[in-house]
């Protein structure tokens, strides 16, 4: 059995693997293979995102609704308010990484969305946690106006509106949210987009 066959067996039955163990030793053929396999993997991103979103069911006690219902309410409010599709998806996913990063979930959720949405949408999701401080930080000795450091930013008011109209009010157990199945086609369309460049962009 040669080395390539051994590596194939270790990686995936019948699946090709690269020739290198250090990236500096890779060949053009190696990186063309990886590029192809990564494209295939990326095509399943929407499925993984939706599965992770479902894990929010029952999460974070203390509120009158769980994180999944909060996400559905936020997205439903955005949709009924006439928001564009990518913003509705952003509203649905703004807390999707709360399980893994409770103290920085906005930044992580924003990074998840970033290749597929405009810089404006990315910025709003990234900063929504800080903008939410307005509604509660003063009760805990914090600065409810911490968002004001961005007052001159072109998307400041957009983030204010996101939180006020859709996010901070989406904890109502009597609100009739649309089901996740309603939003699934939107999620799939957004994550099927040709990714934007991942290089730093203006406003980040």
């Amino acid at each position: 059995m040669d080395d390539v066959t051994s590596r194939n067996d270790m990686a995936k039955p019948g699946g090709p693997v690269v020739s290198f163990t250090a990236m500096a030793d890779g060949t053009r053929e190696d990186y063309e293979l990886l590029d192809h396999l990564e494209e295939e993997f990326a095509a399943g991103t929407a499925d993984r995102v939706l599965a992770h979103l479902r894990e929010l069911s029952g999460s974070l006690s203390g509120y009158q609704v769980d994180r999944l219902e909060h996400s559905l309410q936020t997205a439903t409010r955005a949709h009924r308010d006439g928001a564009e599709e990518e913003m509705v998806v952003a509203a649905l996913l703004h807390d999707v990484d709360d399980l893994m990063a409770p103290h920085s979930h906005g930044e992580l959720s924003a990074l998840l969305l970033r290749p597929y949405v405009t810089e404006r949408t990315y910025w709003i999701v990234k900063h929504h946690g800080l903008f939410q401080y307005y509604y509660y930080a003063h009760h805990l000795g914090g600065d409810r106006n911490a968002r004001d450091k961005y007052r001159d930013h072109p998307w400041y008011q957009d983030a204010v509106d996101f939180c006020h109209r859709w996010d901070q009010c989406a904890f109502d157990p009597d609100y009739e949210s649309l089901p996740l199945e309603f939003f699934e086609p939107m999620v799939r369309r957004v994550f099927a987009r040709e990714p934007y460049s991942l290089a730093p962009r203006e406003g980040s």
Side-chain angles (χ1 to χ4, degrees), residues 57-204:
S57 178
S59 66
L60 200 59
S61 60
Y63 291 94
Q64 294 191 46
V65 301
D66 63 24
R67 267 292 187 263
L68 177 58
E69 174 57 27
H70 169 66
S71 300
L72 291 172
Q73 278 193 35
T74 307
T76 300
R77 291 175 186 276
H79 173 70
R80 289 174 177 163
D81 209 19
E84 64 269 28
E85 183 167 275
E86 81 163 40
M87 187 58 72
V88 173
V89 170
L92 180 69
L93 300 179
H94 74 287
D95 283 345
V96 70
D97 283 306
D98 198 53
L99 292 177
M100 297 298 294
H103 298 297
S104 58
H105 72 276
E107 295 178 41
L108 198 55
S109 299
L111 285 172
L112 172 68
L113 286 162
R114 190 178 193 190
Y116 309 100
V117 299
T118 62
E119 191 68 13
R120 170 178 169 268
T121 298
Y122 161 76
W123 193 90
I124 291 169
V125 175
K126 179 181 178 180
H127 293 94
H128 81 272
L130 178 67
F131 278 67
Q132 287 285 82
Y133 282 5
Y134 180 80
Y135 300 99
Y136 70 89
H138 54 296
H139 294 300
L140 301 173
D143 180 10
R144 70 181 307 193
N145 295 309
R147 66 187 187 180
D148 285 352
K149 68 179 181 178
Y150 294 114
R151 182 169 289 279
D152 294 329
H153 194 281
W155 300 316
Y156 171 86
Q157 190 60 48
D158 295 319
V160 169
D161 292 343
F162 179 95
C163 291
H164 184 70
R165 291 156 59 183
W166 307 331
D167 192 2
Q168 64 86 24
C169 52
F171 298 92
D172 183 354
D174 297 321
Y175 185 79
E176 294 186 7
S177 300
L178 293 165
L180 181 55
E181 290 74 19
F182 177 85
F183 298 105
E184 282 192 25
M186 300 184 192
V187 173
R188 296 188 186 283
R189 283 192 292 271
V190 167
F191 282 90
R193 292 175 174 179
E194 185 71 23
Y196 291 92
S197 169
L198 296 182
R201 290 178 285 177
E202 183 180 356
S204 61

